[in-house]
Amino acid sequence: QVQLVESGGGLVQAGGSLRLSCAASGRTLSTYNMGWFRQAPGKEREFVAAVSRSAGITYYADSVKGRFTISRDNAKNTVYLQMNSLEPEDTAVYYCAAGLGFMTMRIDGYNYWGQGTQVTVSS
């Protein structure tokens, strides 16, 4: 089992940047495919980005492609989400997730979740 803790959220103006971190403990991060999801008020949780165990493959939602970058440092047991050119529509709670199965954009493909970190983008 792995425990995940997100950090790096906050309030930023439109056009700004933030870097989210997801620190893992308990089991080595290289065991898992990793993903970032987000949930805005009144909306369902949605996929943002994913990275394979070796960091060789990445997936992105169309809405963030070209603006967000997912990366991982298995030696530090940490996954990152660099978010640039932020828009008010990016406002949400961002969750880190770890998956044991095939790499996927599906929520049910992830076994472990963090508590989330709030990102608010003002216009």
Side-chain angles (χ1 to χ4, degrees):
Q1 186 165 334
V2 64
Q3 292 78 44
L4 304 172
V5 178
E6 303 95 336
S7 62
L11 174 64
V12 64
Q13 288 188 331
S17 298
L18 283 174
R19 188 174 83 154
L20 305 184
S21 298
C22 172
S25 62
R27 195 170 176 182
T28 182
L29 196 65
S30 60
T31 303
Y32 304 95
N33 292 313
M34 298 298 297
W36 285 96
F37 291 77
R38 67 186 182 185
Q39 188 166 15
K43 295 188 176 181
E44 295 186 349
R45 193 169 298 190
E46 65 176 4
F47 171 78
V48 175
V51 60
S52 63
R53 292 174 176 84
S54 65
I57 301 172
T58 54
Y59 294 162
Y60 293 96
D62 288 343
S63 59
V64 307
K65 205 170 292 184
R67 300 188 298 123
F68 291 10
T69 303
I70 189 170
S71 62
R72 66 192 296 162
D73 186 338
N74 287 339
K76 294 183 177 180
N77 258 13
T78 303
V79 178
Y80 305 97
L81 185 68
Q82 177 67 44
M83 306 186 295
N84 299 328
S85 303
L86 282 161
E87 303 168 353
E89 293 74 23
D90 296 317
T91 295
V93 177
Y94 283 71
Y95 298 90
C96 173
L100 288 166
F102 294 106
M103 192 171 165
T104 180
M105 295 184 283
R106 295 172 56 92
I107 291 175
D108 60 6
Y110 291 84
N111 307 94
Y112 303 102
W113 293 80
Q115 293 300 305
T117 185
Q118 176 71 47
V119 171
T120 303
V121 184
S122 63
S123 57

